Amino acid sequence: MIRVLIADDQAMVRQGFGALLAAQPDLLVVGDAADGAQAVAAARHLDPDVVLMDVRMPVMDGLEATRKLLGDRSTQRPRVLILTTFDLDDYVYEALRAGASGFLLKDAPAADLVQAVRVVAAGDALLAPGVTRRLIAEFANRPDRRRPRPTDLAGLTPRETEVLRLIARGRNNAEIAGDLVVAEQTVKTHVGRILAKLGLRDRAQAVVLAYETGLVAAGE
């Protein structure tokens, strides 16, 4: 069972999402929270696998709550799926920077939300359509985009570096396999090694790192 905590300041949203997820045979809603501070406390107590985290909440917003949850190495850190009605660049970028594994708009179809929870719980990252384009725009608008590559990237093989570039361009495993003319399982192996070598949780963090270090530049 995938244990889920729902954090949103609107009771009707919490109830609606809770009913939707509870109806799934493999999902268990273990609790909810009305603000970011409650979400952090509840997550540490209830040990969810996934936290559905709203962005705009009182007391503590979802971004700060995500930072606190994922920055605490003394406890088991859940996967965080950011949910918002605000389709804005700064939320996307800051959510991924905070360590969130996914970003989804609240008006997404119900089936997409259920699938998003499963994808994130499985250890993969979920980027809503257009998120990678927004990340590119974020870096394109920065005055200093020429950053030195960190030493860690030097540990990647040429093929792993190529795979990381394709990940940063929003390609999924099947597409990368087609681009490189290799088996999809081979791509999965490369992705796993990339994440392990760079100390990353998932593909979302890999996208951010690739642009931050200049491995991929906006407009390429």
Side-chain angles (χ1 to χ4, degrees):
M1 295 289 287
I2 299 172
R3 298 168 59 83
V4 184
L5 172 69
I6 301 171
D8 194 289
D9 62 338
Q10 298 182 43
M12 290 184 64
V13 172
R14 297 197 303 274
Q15 292 168 5
F17 285 164
L20 171 65
L21 298 177
Q24 309 304 312
D26 58 335
L27 304 181
L28 175 65
V29 178
V30 296
D32 60 31
D35 61 58
Q38 289 183 14
V40 172
R44 289 171 176 168
H45 174 65
L46 298 172
D47 193 27
D49 299 304
V50 176
V51 178
L52 294 185
M53 187 79 76
D54 187 26
V55 170
R56 291 194 174 186
M57 292 186 290
V59 183
M60 180 189 297
D61 66 32
L63 298 180
E64 182 60 25
T66 297
R67 293 187 190 98
K68 288 186 176 296
L69 276 180
L70 301 184
D72 185 357
R73 298 182 180 274
S74 65
T75 61
Q76 180 67 31
R77 290 174 291 174
R79 303 281 175 174
V80 175
L81 177 60
I82 296 289
L83 291 167
T84 183
T85 56
F86 301 95
D87 188 15
L88 300 178
D89 298 346
D90 55 348
Y91 289 145
V92 176
Y93 179 71
E94 289 303 324
L96 297 178
R97 283 281 296 165
S101 294
F103 184 99
L104 200 64
L105 296 178
K106 285 183 179 179
D107 60 3
D112 287 359
L113 174 59
V114 172
Q115 181 61 17
V117 171
R118 291 172 177 149
V119 167
V120 168
D124 205 348
L126 183 136
L127 302 181
V131 166
T132 300
R133 291 194 298 275
R134 294 187 203 101
L135 281 176
I136 292 172
E138 166 72 22
F139 285 96
N141 290 330
R142 291 189 172 196
D144 181 14
R145 302 191 303 277
R146 296 184 179 180
R147 301 172 177 83
R149 290 174 56 174
T151 304
D152 287 347
L153 287 191
L156 299 181
T157 67
R159 178 47 61 95
E160 289 166 353
T161 300
E162 190 174 13
V163 170
L164 179 55
R165 285 196 180 98
L166 291 172
I167 290 173
R169 292 175 181 138
R171 311 288 280 175
N172 61 35
N173 286 353
E175 291 168 337
I176 293 173
D179 291 340
L180 301 181
V181 195
V182 297
E184 188 171 347
Q185 184 57 49
T186 299
V187 174
K188 291 180 180 179
T189 299
H190 285 315
V191 172
R193 288 174 178 167
I194 290 167
L195 298 181
K197 287 183 178 181
L198 300 179
L200 304 175
R201 284 167 59 85
D202 51 41
R203 298 168 79 101
Q205 289 190 323
V207 171
V208 172
L209 181 66
Y211 282 100
E212 281 191 328
T213 59
L215 179 63
V216 175
E220 283 189 358

